[in-house]
Structures are given as structure tokens and as C-alpha cells.
Amino acid sequence: MDVLIIISHTLGADDHKKIAHLFRDMEIIAESRFTNVVQLIGDNPHDLVVFLSFEDALPSDWKLDELEMEAPMMILLNVNKLDLFLCQTFLDSIGLLPKPASDVVQETTIHPLLYKSLLFIEENIQENDLSLEKVASYIYVSRCHYSRLFKEHFGTGFKEYIMNKRIQKAKLMLQEGQPVTDVCYSVGYGDLTHFGRVFKRLVGVNPSVYRRTRGKAAGE
């Protein structure tokens, strides 16, 4: 199947190489100008088009509903390295990734236990007691082994991943205009002050300011 991945950012050569290695034999375009995207899609029909952004949303001038294309599209926002692995695994699971030759080592294949743990995290991210020990126990490995496996595959620690995942979810909920207190508890924080401190450290503003300036009401 012919798959096109469009990244709404310009990428350095090293980053482009890493993504190209992960999604082998797929066409990958890093393009910030929507007019170029329109022309690209019109000139080269694909079976699936994936729009990928490392931000909360695609650029404001990207009007996807104006695209004249028959192929289905997939939109991935707030993407980080872990999400890329999950996307790669998902595309592979539904048969969209070409099979490598038998003599080629599939270096990007995610460890089955690690993949299982990531699914568990996604399902339980709202739980305040979600811990390294709990996830390791779920996949029947030791805390130390899981911590090492996680770090080796993703280059980041478990705690850092959980924190970023929760704040990403919080940002989306605040953009919907949900109350800060409800968001705090919905993303796994049991203390509003701690949530606010972490949010400000990662986002740059506190949750109430973010909600006021980025929420739906702000755009009305």
C-alpha cells in the first residue's frame, strides 16, 4: 500500500533520517506550507495520507477539508518518539507497512512486552497510582528490567513519559474549556497545586491561563 506521511514542520537532516528509518519505504515529506501540500497530494495519489505534527494542532492555515483526495487520512498531533513507535506498530498491525526482506533486521520493531505496557499506560493514564512498579508488574517483569527496557527503546525515563503524556492530555481538555480542577483529577494528579506546578514548568503558563487563552471560549 502506498502511504504518504506529511510532517507539518521543517526537519533537520538527522531527524528526517530517523523518521525515514522508522517508516521504511513510505514517502515522508516535511512541509510547512499548505499550498505545497495541496500540490503534492494532487500530483501523487496515495492509498493513505498521514498528517503528523509535534504541536497541539496543525498550522491554522491548513484547511484539510479543502483537500481534493479520495484516500483516507490519519491525523496525529502532539507526537513524540513514543507515539511514532506506536504509530509504526499500528500501521504494521493493519498491513500498511511493507514487509522487510528476510535478511534485513527489523531494528525498529518494538518489544512485545513494552508495547503491551504502553497500551496499559494509555488505558490507565488517569489513575493517580500509575507507577513504574505497577506497569512492570502488569507485564510480569522486574521494576529494574522494565525501567532499563523503556529507557533503551525510547531514550527517556518512565516518569518523564507519564508526566508529558498527562500534560498533553490536560492541554487538550483545557482547550475544550473543561474546569482546571476536573482536568487535574482526570489526568491522574491528586493535588491541584502539584498539577499546576508541573503544567507551568512544561507549558510555560499555569493551567487557568492556558485555558483562558487557548480554550474554545477564547476563539469565539
Side-chain angles (χ1 to χ4, degrees):
M1 180 173 282
D2 190 7
V3 180
L4 170 65
I5 298 179
I6 300 176
I7 303 171
S8 62
H9 314 269
T10 54
L11 294 177
D14 189 51
D15 287 334
H16 194 283
K17 182 179 179 181
K18 290 177 180 178
I19 294 177
H21 180 70
L22 188 63
F23 297 99
R24 295 175 180 176
D25 299 321
M26 290 187 178
E27 185 177 0
I28 299 172
I29 302 295
E31 178 57 66
S32 58
R33 298 183 59 183
F34 187 62
T35 53
N36 292 342
V37 172
V38 173
Q39 182 176 353
L40 175 69
I41 292 177
D43 293 343
N44 302 283
H46 293 80
D47 298 313
L48 173 68
V49 178
V50 179
F51 292 93
L52 186 152
S53 175
F54 305 124
E55 306 296 336
D56 296 337
L58 293 171
S60 59
D61 62 331
W62 283 40
K63 308 299 183 183
L64 300 188
D65 56 338
E66 297 178 2
L67 291 174
E68 296 182 0
M69 51 182 282
E70 297 181 0
M73 70 174 69
M74 179 185 299
I75 302 174
L76 303 175
L77 304 176
N78 276 318
V79 173
N80 56 35
K81 185 177 179 182
L82 294 170
D83 295 325
L84 287 174
F85 271 97
L86 287 174
C87 179
Q88 187 261 1
T89 304
F90 169 72
L91 292 175
D92 186 40
S93 70
I94 59 177
L96 296 184
L97 290 186
K99 298 299 181 183
S102 58
D103 58 343
V104 175
V105 177
Q106 186 74 325
E107 298 176 9
T108 58
T109 300
I110 192 170
H111 192 289
L113 286 179
L114 190 55
Y115 179 62
K116 182 179 179 180
S117 77
L118 292 179
L119 293 179
F120 180 78
I121 290 171
E122 289 293 329
E123 294 172 355
N124 295 275
I125 195 68
Q126 75 282 355
E127 301 296 334
N128 182 251
D129 63 345
L130 183 63
S131 64
L132 178 67
E133 292 83 355
K134 186 172 184 178
V135 180
S137 176
Y138 176 74
I139 59 173
Y140 301 103
V141 298
S142 70
R143 176 184 182 277
C144 292
H145 178 70
Y146 180 61
S147 178
R148 183 172 62 253
L149 186 66
F150 199 98
K151 183 76 172 180
E152 287 176 354
H153 273 76
F154 302 124
T156 188
F158 174 86
K159 184 177 180 180
E160 181 182 1
Y161 171 68
I162 295 297
M163 180 172 59
N164 279 281
K165 198 71 177 176
R166 283 174 167 166
I167 296 304
Q168 285 181 11
K169 182 178 179 181
K171 289 165 67 178
L172 294 175
M173 295 177 70
L174 291 169
Q175 288 171 21
E176 291 293 322
Q178 298 191 38
V180 173
T181 300
D182 292 352
V183 173
C184 169
Y185 295 119
S186 294
V187 299
Y189 285 95
D191 180 84
L192 191 59
T193 301
H194 179 56
F195 168 65
R197 188 181 302 117
V198 173
F199 190 97
K200 186 172 183 178
R201 176 159 59 88
L202 295 182
V203 182
V205 296
N206 63 47
S208 58
V209 171
Y210 185 87
R211 179 179 182 271
R212 185 168 64 249
T213 58
R214 299 294 297 275
K216 281 187 174 180
E220 296 176 353

